[in-house]
Amino acid sequence: MSEVCVYIRTCLREIADHQPPHLTERFVETPLAFLKLSTSHLCQKNVCLLLVILLLPLQGNAHPQCLDYKPPFQPPEPLVFCKEYAKFGCCDLDKDNQISQRFYQIMDYFDHTGFMACGKYIRNILCQECSPYAAHLYDAEDANTPMRELPGLCGNYCNDYWVYCRYTLSLLTNNNQTYAIEEDRNKFCKYLELKDPEYCYPNVLMSAELNANLGDVQADPQGCIQMCLEEVANGLRNPVAMVHANDGTHRFFIAEQLGYVWTYLANGSRIDRPFLNLTKAVLTSPWAGDERGFLCIALHPRFTEVKKAFVYYSVSVKKQEKIRVSEFTLSESDMNILDHSSERTLLEVDEPASNHNGGQLQFGLDGYLYIFIGDGGRAGDPFGKFGNSQNKSTLLGKVLRIDVDSNDSGVPYSIPPDNPFVGEKDTKPEIYAYGVRNMWRCSIDRGDSITGQGKGRMLCGDVGQNKYEEVDLIEKGGNYGWRAKEGFSCYDRKLCFNSSLNDILPIFAYPHKIGKSVTGGYIYRGCQMPNLNGLYIFGDFMSGRLMSLRENPDTGKWNYKEICMGNDKTCNFPKLINSYYKYIISFGEDEAGELYFLATGAASATAKAGVVYKIVDPSRRAPPGKCSYKPIPVSIKGKLVHFNPKEEFVINKKTSTTAVPKPKPTRPTTTPTPRPRVTQMSTQRVRTTTTVRPTPPRSRYSPSTLRPRPQFVTTARPTYWTPAPKSTEKTRGRGRGKSRRKGDRRNRSRAGMVRLVSADGRKDRGRVEIFFHGEWGTVCDDMFNMKAADIVCRQLGFLVAVQVSKRAELGAGGVRVSILLDDVDCEGTEKTLLQCKHAKIGKHNCSHDEDVGVICGFDEHAVE
């Protein structure tokens, strides 16, 4: 092999010698790009080039990933057995204990000498389930292909293992083939060796490159933070806002510019009746870039008690364009619909132009409603001597704060007594801050979950005029400088040098070569992605850039880094994508604090090109179970529209060539073809004919199940090896129990059979359980959709599935019931769930709180 490597290096050097310098540099950065050079440069080296192309896929192509196809994490408690993975890996303390028990079960077959000689090999092999590169070691990076039974070893390590402890292999596997290969070094290591010298064990632990900054947010060579996305909703018409009710249901509500607000449940499905429909009142148009329309919604922070919602939208009253802020009350008969007859106008402001409408509503931690209104439009705030923004006798160009509690009788709102300009002559008392141009999307920092740092801060993106976009921290009584300043620079020089300006500078501003219309975002305070805690993520509507700021606690300054989409290797996890539509309209948080952004491929209020994306950090996740929650059930009247993602998952595609997608055509109604599988070129797969090993009890290795050694073996066994006695039981014909008699199949459960288990014994609904290898077990709700439900219902004799119930809504399995299936992804044409794509049977990252249930029927009907 070394001679081949030397020859390849020579080939690469010879090819590079025939290229211009800039192409050679490009080759050093990315060999694959170099191979796209014109054939005229390379034809004379075609033999070398062929070898290079053939061997390039053998380069390391792994990324940190666990056997459940998710990123590694930091265990909440220190590991005791597999200590080398205590800071970052794929095991929590429970899994560490399971591996420890398995180790000592195996080592019971050894005396002290054997324990000392082979214990280290067995321990190291077992502990690779905890490695942050476990998915690559077990060839499990593609969820659609068989997984190795044991981790892939490096050649030298495998040779040593064979020399000293080869007879232990049968104790580590549940594979009848391993007994026959223990005497043949070549077959033995062919079975165990991973043909990737960088990522095999133990080399993967010794690579400084692979282990540098492991678990940190990953950045490309230019410093761009690599993120991935999960598609959450699609087919929306300019989605402008996403809010949640903070009521334990984990519902979220998405508003469209046209005037619809839709309710989405925690499982991703949408209720077919809109939460609010103001399309007849809202002023907007299908013109691309029209800033008028339904712009924001805010739910009362005590929505369970004060069942009110507040909206901000454009209207035309007697041909005068206005901004209207209204209040609605929740319907008494349906928790997912506002009472449309309950609208009460709180505030109306005349708009002198059709742009710069502002459009943000939000409640602060003080319980007051904050309203962000633009400067009135046109260019340069030309109204009056100093412009609307610097004129405190008008509400335009301001941040307002009002009290909407206890307003059921009398005035629609009151003025908080500590508003900064209360009592000031010729000043509107609603004003909280001024000097803003057109703030678009603001957020309240939830604060660090442990220290509380940052809690209550208000951050806004303020759209610029000709040169700069800015991000501001809103302070009580603050003057944000417009029209005197734009970003950090002067716009109106006469006003800019006025000593009375006393303006607050932005925490960050960027020029128009980066973007021309800022969209304010959120500081991440969720649970699932600990690396992102404290990171302010925002974007630009025009350029489509995602950006981030992180505060330096020592200096108070905010450091900027751009966010880019990770490549296919980085985002090679279930349900993730790495492209998005260009026009970033808004950002949102769910009830748990996870972060989303709303974008569209066509900036028109009537184009169904809007998508909601969840931002995902592929480098690290929270420990399993830490972020789990059980939503409060939602009473639904009407039908559920189940979510079907349109973007192709990274894990199902071969290549990705575009960073920003183009609008996708409508999905055809014909039966879809199977998705392509990701090919892992760097791994030699070992396909076995037996089932993958479960974690067995000690009785599994009783004398009756250990295979006796053949008598013709001539190699002397180590003195510490104690063979088990031969079994006296005759081998049965089918390998398990008695041979079948004719007719025995009648009442036997077959692998793949399903049943619905319900507390009231109903046959048409209940928790889904599947039969496999002699036991019934539950199915996790991850990725389980209506296609999978249809398969279950057809097996049980029903025509269709009516509803998928997640989060154990139809009952959870008990402690004695196993979880057999996870990440079930069906096309809808399979006969059983076992024919669908799924994680390894028995391998899961869920609890019975996530058991899926199904309601079947003979016709689609509304779920009451």
Side-chain angles (χ1 to χ4, degrees), residues 526-592:
C527 172
Q528 296 177 8
M529 288 159 281
N531 277 343
L532 302 188
N533 183 42
L535 191 70
Y536 179 70
I537 297 178
F538 64 109
D540 189 276
F541 175 81
M542 293 300 294
S543 67
R545 288 179 187 267
L546 285 170
M547 298 169 277
S548 74
L549 297 172
R550 187 182 290 277
E551 185 182 21
N552 184 324
D554 297 326
T555 64
K557 294 183 178 180
W558 294 74
N559 299 319
Y560 168 82
K561 280 193 176 181
E562 190 172 343
I563 294 175
C564 56
M565 290 296 97
N567 57 31
D568 287 356
K569 182 179 76 171
T570 301
C571 297
N572 191 28
F573 295 99
K575 299 191 285 188
L576 296 192
I577 60 177
N578 58 355
S579 60
Y580 59 90
Y581 288 123
K582 172 183 177 181
Y583 300 108
I584 302 172
I585 301 175
S586 188
F587 286 79
E589 270 185 328
D590 64 17
E591 191 168 343

Side-chain angles (χ1 to χ4, degrees), residues 616-633:
V616 178
D617 172 23
S619 61
R620 181 194 291 262
R621 59 167 160 154
K626 180 180 180 181
C627 306
S628 61
Y629 56 85
K630 187 173 183 179
I632 295 174

Side-chain angles (χ1 to χ4, degrees), residues 155 355 422 434 542 561 698 762 798 863:
N355 61 338
V422 171
Y434 65 105
M542 293 300 294
K561 280 193 176 181
R698 180 172 178 172
R762 297 182 66 171
F798 296 91
V863 181

Side-chain angles (χ1 to χ4, degrees), residues 2 211 330 415 494 525 574 589 600 641 661 725:
S2 60
N211 291 281
L330 191 66
I415 304 297
K494 184 176 180 181
R525 298 297 187 185
E589 270 185 328
T600 184
V641 180

Side-chain angles (χ1 to χ4, degrees), residues 817-833:
V817 180
S818 300
I819 300 174
L820 293 182
L821 281 187
D822 192 9
D823 293 331
V824 178
D825 185 11
C826 302
E827 297 289 350
T829 58
E830 300 87 347
K831 293 182 179 180
T832 73
L833 296 181

Side-chain angles (χ1 to χ4, degrees), residues 300 306 308 310 327 344 346 363 367-369 402-408 412-414:
H300 196 281
V306 185
K308 293 181 179 181
F310 301 85
E327 171 191 280
R344 182 186 190 191
L346 303 185
F363 281 90
Y368 295 131
L369 179 64
I402 61 175
D403 185 351
V404 294
D405 285 344
S406 304
N407 66 342
D408 291 335
Y413 67 86
S414 58

Side-chain angles (χ1 to χ4, degrees), residues 413-478:
Y413 67 86
S414 58
I415 304 297
D418 64 337
N419 267 13
F421 304 107
V422 171
E424 186 174 305
K425 186 180 179 180
D426 297 329
T427 297
K428 296 288 187 181
E430 294 92 342
I431 297 175
Y432 183 78
Y434 65 105
V436 304
R437 184 176 181 272
N438 189 36
M439 286 191 165
W440 181 247
R441 292 304 166 249
C442 305
S443 62
I444 303 292
D445 185 0
R446 296 187 179 201
D448 184 271
S449 59
I450 298 175
T451 66
Q453 182 181 359
K455 186 174 182 179
R457 291 185 297 185
M458 189 181 301
L459 293 93
C460 293
D462 198 3
V463 180
Q465 180 68 49
N466 297 324
K467 294 182 178 181
Y468 296 100
E469 307 295 306
E470 67 183 69
V471 177
D472 296 301
L473 265 173
I474 304 302
E475 297 179 11
K476 180 179 176 180

Side-chain angles (χ1 to χ4, degrees), residues 785-827:
N785 56 22
M786 286 296 288
K787 293 179 181 179
D790 281 336
I791 294 170
V792 170
C793 293
R794 288 199 300 267
Q795 282 186 266
L796 298 174
F798 296 91
L799 293 181
V800 293
V802 178
Q803 178 179 313
V804 174
S805 298
K806 298 194 175 185
R807 300 290 178 182
E809 291 180 19
L810 295 181
V815 293
R816 297 185 179 181
V817 180
S818 300
I819 300 174
L820 293 182
L821 281 187
D822 192 9
D823 293 331
V824 178
D825 185 11
C826 302
E827 297 289 350

